[in-house]
Amino acid sequence: MMRQSAWRQMTAPELWMGLFALALTLSLTMAEHMDQRPALQTSPVLHRHKREWLWNNLYVEEERPTYIQYYLGKLKSTKSGDRTHYVIEGEGANTIFKVDEKGDIFVTERLDREVKSKYNLTAKLLDTSNKLVEKEEKFVILVTDINDNDPVFTKSFNASIKERSKRGTKVIEVTATDADDPTTANGELVYKLLEGGDFFNIESTTGIITTKYENLDRETQSSYVVVVQAQDLRGIKQGGTATTSVSIAVSDINDNIATFTKSSYVFSVKEDMKRGQRIDTMVLEDRDEIQNKDPIFTIAPSSDIFEMERSQIKDGNLMLKQGLDYETKSSYTFFVHVRENHLQSPADNKDNPLIKAQVTIQVLDVDEQPEFSKSIYNFNVIEEMMVNNIGVISARDPDQANKAIRYSIEDKDSPIGINPITGQLFTVRKLDRELVANHMFQVKAKEEPNGLESFVNVNILVIDINDNKPELSIEEIFVCENDMAGTVIGTLSATDKDDNLPAFSFTLGKPNANFSVIDNNDNTSNIVLKHGGFSLEDSRDYVIEIGISDGGRPPMSSITSLPIKVCRCDNKRIHTQCKAAQLKMGVSVHALIVILVCILTILVIVILIAMRKRHQKDALVTLGKSEIHEQLVTYDEEGGGEMDTNGYDVSILISAQNDGSMSMRQGPSLYAMVKKPPTACKGDMAVMIEVKKDEADHDRDEIPYDTLHIYGYEGPESLAGSLSSLDSSSTGSNLDYDFLNDWGPRFRTLAELYGVDGSEGSDSPY
């Protein structure tokens, strides 16, 4: 915003022009005086050339109205005359500034110093031919400032200060700008507070706001708004002004003690509350913000049953540390103390804060589940024995009612039973450690008659006895033709399913003239030759019976037949050719039982199938004629693929034919009506067709061959017509097979089989 200064309004334009003219005259007079001084004769170097241009810098006031151009100054030169004229060049020449032939300079436009503060120009003195009379000279026109701009705050200001800050603490620095010349009073600003001076000060030249006192309290007043004024002309009344509001927030510190809202608390807690759960919350009152709230809780006297924890909003949560029992203790009383950590002293509420509260816990009785005497039960049972007293499961009702307990095992297939009254465990069937070494199940204890129930885990470890025979464990044994007497041809070892430490011993089941067994006393034995001289040409097979004892209590033994091969070996006893020994391994009783069961099952299945077929034939004999006729009419459809054999039981037709209950069509069959070529011309295809035809003619127990095998993939969507023999006759076919003769030699045989001779109307097939 442009405006004339108050000082400019109090001064007439004529006064300004007079002063400017006086200053210009003094400058020119001094210049002429300087030029007229005699030159120094002491040295030609100091001789000064006389100056022709006579002026200094020119000044023009900004914002001066230009209704008509006004005089600014005059160009002067000692070489000017009637035949010379002046010319100016440079910034604003001949537009803003104009010069006449006499050198008078005029201003034609209003100037603004804030836009441009000076103009650089060049003066020239020319003759009538526009040639320089003397060297051109540069000069400057300066625009003088007036107070035509008010101060401006270019942004908003927000600040914060901690409560209880010391006096003189810096809050914020506010600054304004003024477009006027900062080197003059027009651009010098002074700051002062219009509002907020009760709590804050401001430095007049810098705009820094500071605290005035130390009693800022966020809980009393959390924010302030300060109004700041900036004024130019060093703050005199005529100066321009600007104002801004500064928001100052008072930030919180921990200067208040957290206190309880009441002096005593009573909480009711059920005795079955789980450990680690929250009983209730003891709310605190704290005027500080939550980030500065820092309470610490303690229980007096210290307790192993209860504890205090700080909640998310920093109140006190009373937690259950251990389980409660109404029958043992029904109430508890203690005190909870609270104190502040990192408190700024002295606290605002230091007078009588409520930092101690009495807490009373009342335990409520509930119907509780039965309690077992142990958390888990472990018992041992010897395998293959019926045990009536494995151990006792014990549970009780913890309530005052002390109800009777009834025991049960949920797993109906468990080999362990339990007495429902006493909780005594017993075996339902013998246990086998080799099948299951450890039985785990749950026992349920339930209050009578329909009360609560609970469960406990029971582990039964099966103790092993020596009830399994040792088994021979060895790879193939062979004797070389070149083995000598005393040669060890193999080492025997054994395995045992029992858990006892084995002490195997090996013997020959019966004396053997060729081999002997020598115990190594390390649960192995060697097979040693008694003599040599074995040969591949010998037709005899060598088998020895090995007896094994496990040394247990009672000892278990077994006898196993071990075949020995005869081989031809190299010098390192690596066989290159062997004669397979006859395997005479024994078959166990379990294997024999399985084989017998399989044979009996197969026999039963065969008998059932035979009886079913017989029953079907008997039923077909009794079928009426109309039933069979209906089946024939219904079957008159195009092939349905596999649905043909599923939808129509062709065996009915066959059975009816065999039993004579259905009158068969008299006359030769379809195959008999086909023209038979001479035997000499028959090819392989003709022979195959004859064989298949003959099989179909004489097989009365099977469905037609073509229905089962050839048309199994035809269906109602097939583009091929039906070729079923059931829909064919010797006289009803309109097919002409003569076209097969045109298909080449590969189809000649078929053309001969299905073609007709000249006697086409004859009833005879030949």
Side-chain angles (χ1 to χ4, degrees), residues 637-663:
E637 294 180 2
E638 291 301 321
E642 294 181 355
M643 293 188 294
D644 272 348
T645 58
N646 295 331
Y648 306 101
D649 192 354
V650 186
S651 63
I652 296 177
L653 302 176
I654 301 171
S655 301
Q657 177 184 352
N658 293 338
D659 293 323
S661 60
M662 174 177 147
S663 61

PDB file of all heavy atoms in Angstrom, residues 637-663:
ATOM      1  N   GLU A 637     -33.107-101.113 -29.463  1.00  0.00           N
ATOM      2  CA  GLU A 637     -32.582 -99.747 -29.477  1.00  0.00           C
ATOM      3  C   GLU A 637     -31.187 -99.765 -30.056  1.00  0.00           C
ATOM      4  O   GLU A 637     -30.542-100.814 -30.127  1.00  0.00           O
ATOM      5  CB  GLU A 637     -32.524 -99.163 -28.066  1.00  0.00           C
ATOM      6  CG  GLU A 637     -33.868 -98.953 -27.448  1.00  0.00           C
ATOM      7  CD  GLU A 637     -33.743 -98.371 -26.048  1.00  0.00           C
ATOM      8  OE1 GLU A 637     -32.601 -98.125 -25.645  1.00  0.00           O
ATOM      9  OE2 GLU A 637     -34.758 -98.169 -25.415  1.00  0.00           O
ATOM     10  N   GLU A 638     -30.747 -98.578 -30.432  1.00  0.00           N
ATOM     11  CA  GLU A 638     -29.363 -98.494 -30.871  1.00  0.00           C
ATOM     12  C   GLU A 638     -28.459 -98.711 -29.667  1.00  0.00           C
ATOM     13  O   GLU A 638     -28.820 -98.395 -28.535  1.00  0.00           O
ATOM     14  CB  GLU A 638     -29.094 -97.131 -31.498  1.00  0.00           C
ATOM     15  CG  GLU A 638     -29.806 -96.916 -32.832  1.00  0.00           C
ATOM     16  CD  GLU A 638     -29.414 -97.947 -33.863  1.00  0.00           C
ATOM     17  OE1 GLU A 638     -28.221 -98.319 -33.922  1.00  0.00           O
ATOM     18  OE2 GLU A 638     -30.277 -98.392 -34.605  1.00  0.00           O
ATOM     19  N   GLY A 639     -27.256 -99.149 -29.921  1.00  0.00           N
ATOM     20  CA  GLY A 639     -26.357 -99.493 -28.826  1.00  0.00           C
ATOM     21  C   GLY A 639     -26.121 -98.347 -27.863  1.00  0.00           C
ATOM     22  O   GLY A 639     -25.958 -97.219 -28.281  1.00  0.00           O
ATOM     23  N   GLY A 640     -26.065 -98.608 -26.601  1.00  0.00           N
ATOM     24  CA  GLY A 640     -25.810 -97.572 -25.580  1.00  0.00           C
ATOM     25  C   GLY A 640     -24.467 -97.705 -24.950  1.00  0.00           C
ATOM     26  O   GLY A 640     -24.265 -97.284 -23.826  1.00  0.00           O
ATOM     27  N   GLY A 641     -23.540 -98.379 -25.653  1.00  0.00           N
ATOM     28  CA  GLY A 641     -22.212 -98.557 -25.070  1.00  0.00           C
ATOM     29  C   GLY A 641     -22.275 -99.588 -23.959  1.00  0.00           C
ATOM     30  O   GLY A 641     -22.963-100.608 -24.044  1.00  0.00           O
ATOM     31  N   GLU A 642     -21.578 -99.291 -22.876  1.00  0.00           N
ATOM     32  CA  GLU A 642     -21.594-100.189 -21.735  1.00  0.00           C
ATOM     33  C   GLU A 642     -22.959-100.249 -21.086  1.00  0.00           C
ATOM     34  O   GLU A 642     -23.271-101.154 -20.331  1.00  0.00           O
ATOM     35  CB  GLU A 642     -20.542 -99.748 -20.725  1.00  0.00           C
ATOM     36  CG  GLU A 642     -19.127 -99.902 -21.256  1.00  0.00           C
ATOM     37  CD  GLU A 642     -18.115 -99.486 -20.214  1.00  0.00           C
ATOM     38  OE1 GLU A 642     -18.554 -99.007 -19.171  1.00  0.00           O
ATOM     39  OE2 GLU A 642     -16.918 -99.666 -20.463  1.00  0.00           O
ATOM     40  N   MET A 643     -23.823 -99.226 -21.353  1.00  0.00           N
ATOM     41  CA  MET A 643     -25.166 -99.248 -20.782  1.00  0.00           C
ATOM     42  C   MET A 643     -25.974-100.401 -21.358  1.00  0.00           C
ATOM     43  O   MET A 643     -26.974-100.824 -20.772  1.00  0.00           O
ATOM     44  CB  MET A 643     -25.862 -97.913 -21.047  1.00  0.00           C
ATOM     45  CG  MET A 643     -25.226 -96.750 -20.306  1.00  0.00           C
ATOM     46  SD  MET A 643     -26.192 -95.246 -20.449  1.00  0.00           S
ATOM     47  CE  MET A 643     -26.001 -94.959 -22.205  1.00  0.00           C
ATOM     48  N   ASP A 644     -25.629-100.922 -22.570  1.00  0.00           N
ATOM     49  CA  ASP A 644     -26.343-102.071 -23.139  1.00  0.00           C
ATOM     50  C   ASP A 644     -26.270-103.262 -22.201  1.00  0.00           C
ATOM     51  O   ASP A 644     -27.272-103.877 -21.850  1.00  0.00           O
ATOM     52  CB  ASP A 644     -25.736-102.443 -24.484  1.00  0.00           C
ATOM     53  CG  ASP A 644     -26.404-101.654 -25.618  1.00  0.00           C
ATOM     54  OD1 ASP A 644     -27.454-101.031 -25.365  1.00  0.00           O
ATOM     55  OD2 ASP A 644     -25.870-101.672 -26.719  1.00  0.00           O
ATOM     56  N   THR A 645     -25.046-103.548 -21.773  1.00  0.00           N
ATOM     57  CA  THR A 645     -24.866-104.726 -20.930  1.00  0.00           C
ATOM     58  C   THR A 645     -25.413-104.505 -19.542  1.00  0.00           C
ATOM     59  O   THR A 645     -25.740-105.456 -18.848  1.00  0.00           O
ATOM     60  CB  THR A 645     -23.382-105.082 -20.850  1.00  0.00           C
ATOM     61  OG1 THR A 645     -22.685-103.955 -20.336  1.00  0.00           O
ATOM     62  CG2 THR A 645     -22.832-105.410 -22.229  1.00  0.00           C
ATOM     63  N   ASN A 646     -25.473-103.235 -19.103  1.00  0.00           N
ATOM     64  CA  ASN A 646     -26.031-102.964 -17.776  1.00  0.00           C
ATOM     65  C   ASN A 646     -27.555-102.888 -17.816  1.00  0.00           C
ATOM     66  O   ASN A 646     -28.238-103.206 -16.841  1.00  0.00           O
ATOM     67  CB  ASN A 646     -25.463-101.647 -17.230  1.00  0.00           C
ATOM     68  CG  ASN A 646     -23.979-101.743 -16.988  1.00  0.00           C
ATOM     69  OD1 ASN A 646     -23.477-102.821 -16.705  1.00  0.00           O
ATOM     70  ND2 ASN A 646     -23.271-100.618 -17.095  1.00  0.00           N
ATOM     71  N   GLY A 647     -28.102-102.340 -18.880  1.00  0.00           N
ATOM     72  CA  GLY A 647     -29.551-102.138 -18.951  1.00  0.00           C
ATOM     73  C   GLY A 647     -30.318-103.371 -19.382  1.00  0.00           C
ATOM     74  O   GLY A 647     -31.502-103.502 -19.092  1.00  0.00           O
ATOM     75  N   TYR A 648     -29.703-104.319 -20.101  1.00  0.00           N
ATOM     76  CA  TYR A 648     -30.418-105.496 -20.616  1.00  0.00           C
ATOM     77  C   TYR A 648     -29.635-106.746 -20.267  1.00  0.00           C
ATOM     78  O   TYR A 648     -28.464-106.852 -20.599  1.00  0.00           O
ATOM     79  CB  TYR A 648     -30.591-105.392 -22.129  1.00  0.00           C
ATOM     80  CG  TYR A 648     -31.241-104.105 -22.562  1.00  0.00           C
ATOM     81  CD1 TYR A 648     -30.456-103.074 -23.067  1.00  0.00           C
ATOM     82  CD2 TYR A 648     -32.593-103.897 -22.415  1.00  0.00           C
ATOM     83  CE1 TYR A 648     -31.028-101.875 -23.446  1.00  0.00           C
ATOM     84  CE2 TYR A 648     -33.167-102.714 -22.790  1.00  0.00           C
ATOM     85  CZ  TYR A 648     -32.387-101.688 -23.312  1.00  0.00           C
ATOM     86  OH  TYR A 648     -32.949-100.515 -23.680  1.00  0.00           O
ATOM     87  N   ASP A 649     -30.259-107.611 -19.568  1.00  0.00           N
ATOM     88  CA  ASP A 649     -29.623-108.869 -19.160  1.00  0.00           C
ATOM     89  C   ASP A 649     -29.836-109.892 -20.260  1.00  0.00           C
ATOM     90  O   ASP A 649     -30.906-110.517 -20.360  1.00  0.00           O
ATOM     91  CB  ASP A 649     -30.213-109.346 -17.840  1.00  0.00           C
ATOM     92  CG  ASP A 649     -29.389-110.477 -17.251  1.00  0.00           C
ATOM     93  OD1 ASP A 649     -28.452-110.928 -17.932  1.00  0.00           O
ATOM     94  OD2 ASP A 649     -29.709-110.907 -16.125  1.00  0.00           O
ATOM     95  N   VAL A 650     -28.864-110.016 -21.142  1.00  0.00           N
ATOM     96  CA  VAL A 650     -28.995-110.912 -22.290  1.00  0.00           C
ATOM     97  C   VAL A 650     -29.010-112.356 -21.853  1.00  0.00           C
ATOM     98  O   VAL A 650     -29.448-113.245 -22.582  1.00  0.00           O
ATOM     99  CB  VAL A 650     -27.859-110.636 -23.294  1.00  0.00           C
ATOM    100  CG1 VAL A 650     -28.043-111.446 -24.571  1.00  0.00           C
ATOM    101  CG2 VAL A 650     -27.812-109.173 -23.621  1.00  0.00           C
ATOM    102  N   SER A 651     -28.492-112.604 -20.604  1.00  0.00           N
ATOM    103  CA  SER A 651     -28.487-113.993 -20.133  1.00  0.00           C
ATOM    104  C   SER A 651     -29.893-114.556 -20.038  1.00  0.00           C
ATOM    105  O   SER A 651     -30.096-115.771 -20.048  1.00  0.00           O
ATOM    106  CB  SER A 651     -27.782-114.065 -18.777  1.00  0.00           C
ATOM    107  OG  SER A 651     -28.502-113.305 -17.839  1.00  0.00           O
ATOM    108  N   ILE A 652     -30.904-113.669 -19.915  1.00  0.00           N
ATOM    109  CA  ILE A 652     -32.299-114.147 -19.868  1.00  0.00           C
ATOM    110  C   ILE A 652     -32.645-114.851 -21.181  1.00  0.00           C
ATOM    111  O   ILE A 652     -33.285-115.905 -21.201  1.00  0.00           O
ATOM    112  CB  ILE A 652     -33.247-112.964 -19.613  1.00  0.00           C
ATOM    113  CG1 ILE A 652     -32.947-112.363 -18.238  1.00  0.00           C
ATOM    114  CG2 ILE A 652     -34.692-113.387 -19.702  1.00  0.00           C
ATOM    115  CD1 ILE A 652     -33.770-111.150 -17.925  1.00  0.00           C
ATOM    116  N   LEU A 653     -32.217-114.233 -22.295  1.00  0.00           N
ATOM    117  CA  LEU A 653     -32.488-114.851 -23.593  1.00  0.00           C
ATOM    118  C   LEU A 653     -31.808-116.214 -23.713  1.00  0.00           C
ATOM    119  O   LEU A 653     -32.400-117.189 -24.177  1.00  0.00           O
ATOM    120  CB  LEU A 653     -32.018-113.928 -24.708  1.00  0.00           C
ATOM    121  CG  LEU A 653     -32.629-112.519 -24.726  1.00  0.00           C
ATOM    122  CD1 LEU A 653     -31.985-111.716 -25.838  1.00  0.00           C
ATOM    123  CD2 LEU A 653     -34.121-112.603 -24.900  1.00  0.00           C
ATOM    124  N   ILE A 654     -30.554-116.246 -23.279  1.00  0.00           N
ATOM    125  CA  ILE A 654     -29.798-117.501 -23.389  1.00  0.00           C
ATOM    126  C   ILE A 654     -30.435-118.579 -22.536  1.00  0.00           C
ATOM    127  O   ILE A 654     -30.613-119.725 -22.939  1.00  0.00           O
ATOM    128  CB  ILE A 654     -28.342-117.268 -23.003  1.00  0.00           C
ATOM    129  CG1 ILE A 654     -27.728-116.212 -23.925  1.00  0.00           C
ATOM    130  CG2 ILE A 654     -27.543-118.538 -23.059  1.00  0.00           C
ATOM    131  CD1 ILE A 654     -26.358-115.766 -23.493  1.00  0.00           C
ATOM    132  N   SER A 655     -30.794-118.210 -21.272  1.00  0.00           N
ATOM    133  CA  SER A 655     -31.390-119.196 -20.363  1.00  0.00           C
ATOM    134  C   SER A 655     -32.717-119.683 -20.887  1.00  0.00           C
ATOM    135  O   SER A 655     -33.063-120.863 -20.811  1.00  0.00           O
ATOM    136  CB  SER A 655     -31.572-118.582 -18.978  1.00  0.00           C
ATOM    137  OG  SER A 655     -30.347-118.167 -18.479  1.00  0.00           O
ATOM    138  N   ALA A 656     -33.536-118.775 -21.430  1.00  0.00           N
ATOM    139  CA  ALA A 656     -34.830-119.188 -21.964  1.00  0.00           C
ATOM    140  C   ALA A 656     -34.664-120.131 -23.140  1.00  0.00           C
ATOM    141  O   ALA A 656     -35.421-121.093 -23.307  1.00  0.00           O
ATOM    142  CB  ALA A 656     -35.629-117.955 -22.378  1.00  0.00           C
ATOM    143  N   GLN A 657     -33.645-119.856 -23.957  1.00  0.00           N
ATOM    144  CA  GLN A 657     -33.411-120.739 -25.102  1.00  0.00           C
ATOM    145  C   GLN A 657     -32.995-122.121 -24.640  1.00  0.00           C
ATOM    146  O   GLN A 657     -33.449-123.127 -25.146  1.00  0.00           O
ATOM    147  CB  GLN A 657     -32.353-120.132 -26.019  1.00  0.00           C
ATOM    148  CG  GLN A 657     -32.006-121.019 -27.203  1.00  0.00           C
ATOM    149  CD  GLN A 657     -30.886-120.417 -28.034  1.00  0.00           C
ATOM    150  OE1 GLN A 657     -30.504-119.294 -27.783  1.00  0.00           O
ATOM    151  NE2 GLN A 657     -30.415-121.178 -29.006  1.00  0.00           N
ATOM    152  N   ASN A 658     -32.115-122.165 -23.624  1.00  0.00           N
ATOM    153  CA  ASN A 658     -31.628-123.451 -23.138  1.00  0.00           C
ATOM    154  C   ASN A 658     -32.752-124.272 -22.533  1.00  0.00           C
ATOM    155  O   ASN A 658     -32.755-125.504 -22.593  1.00  0.00           O
ATOM    156  CB  ASN A 658     -30.525-123.249 -22.119  1.00  0.00           C
ATOM    157  CG  ASN A 658     -29.282-122.664 -22.759  1.00  0.00           C
ATOM    158  OD1 ASN A 658     -29.095-122.778 -23.969  1.00  0.00           O
ATOM    159  ND2 ASN A 658     -28.447-122.030 -21.954  1.00  0.00           N
ATOM    160  N   ASP A 659     -33.701-123.613 -21.865  1.00  0.00           N
ATOM    161  CA  ASP A 659     -34.767-124.333 -21.179  1.00  0.00           C
ATOM    162  C   ASP A 659     -35.974-124.592 -22.077  1.00  0.00           C
ATOM    163  O   ASP A 659     -36.989-125.134 -21.628  1.00  0.00           O
ATOM    164  CB  ASP A 659     -35.211-123.552 -19.951  1.00  0.00           C
ATOM    165  CG  ASP A 659     -34.095-123.514 -18.925  1.00  0.00           C
ATOM    166  OD1 ASP A 659     -33.393-124.503 -18.803  1.00  0.00           O
ATOM    167  OD2 ASP A 659     -33.938-122.465 -18.255  1.00  0.00           O
ATOM    168  N   GLY A 660     -35.970-124.105 -23.281  1.00  0.00           N
ATOM    169  CA  GLY A 660     -37.053-124.363 -24.206  1.00  0.00           C
ATOM    170  C   GLY A 660     -38.290-123.566 -23.952  1.00  0.00           C
ATOM    171  O   GLY A 660     -39.335-123.823 -24.540  1.00  0.00           O
ATOM    172  N   SER A 661     -38.215-122.617 -23.030  1.00  0.00           N
ATOM    173  CA  SER A 661     -39.401-121.835 -22.724  1.00  0.00           C
ATOM    174  C   SER A 661     -39.666-120.776 -23.748  1.00  0.00           C
ATOM    175  O   SER A 661     -40.667-120.104 -23.709  1.00  0.00           O
ATOM    176  CB  SER A 661     -39.259-121.196 -21.340  1.00  0.00           C
ATOM    177  OG  SER A 661     -38.145-120.367 -21.341  1.00  0.00           O
ATOM    178  N   MET A 662     -38.751-120.548 -24.658  1.00  0.00           N
ATOM    179  CA  MET A 662     -38.920-119.509 -25.672  1.00  0.00           C
ATOM    180  C   MET A 662     -38.733-120.151 -27.046  1.00  0.00           C
ATOM    181  O   MET A 662     -37.741-120.833 -27.291  1.00  0.00           O
ATOM    182  CB  MET A 662     -37.875-118.414 -25.447  1.00  0.00           C
ATOM    183  CG  MET A 662     -37.837-117.356 -26.503  1.00  0.00           C
ATOM    184  SD  MET A 662     -36.643-116.116 -26.044  1.00  0.00           S
ATOM    185  CE  MET A 662     -36.083-115.684 -27.671  1.00  0.00           C
ATOM    186  N   SER A 663     -39.659-119.942 -27.898  1.00  0.00           N
ATOM    187  CA  SER A 663     -39.585-120.534 -29.246  1.00  0.00           C
ATOM    188  C   SER A 663     -38.567-119.776 -30.058  1.00  0.00           C
ATOM    189  O   SER A 663     -38.669-118.574 -30.224  1.00  0.00           O
ATOM    190  CB  SER A 663     -40.963-120.479 -29.909  1.00  0.00           C
ATOM    191  OG  SER A 663     -41.397-119.158 -30.054  1.00  0.00           O
TER     192      SER A 663
END
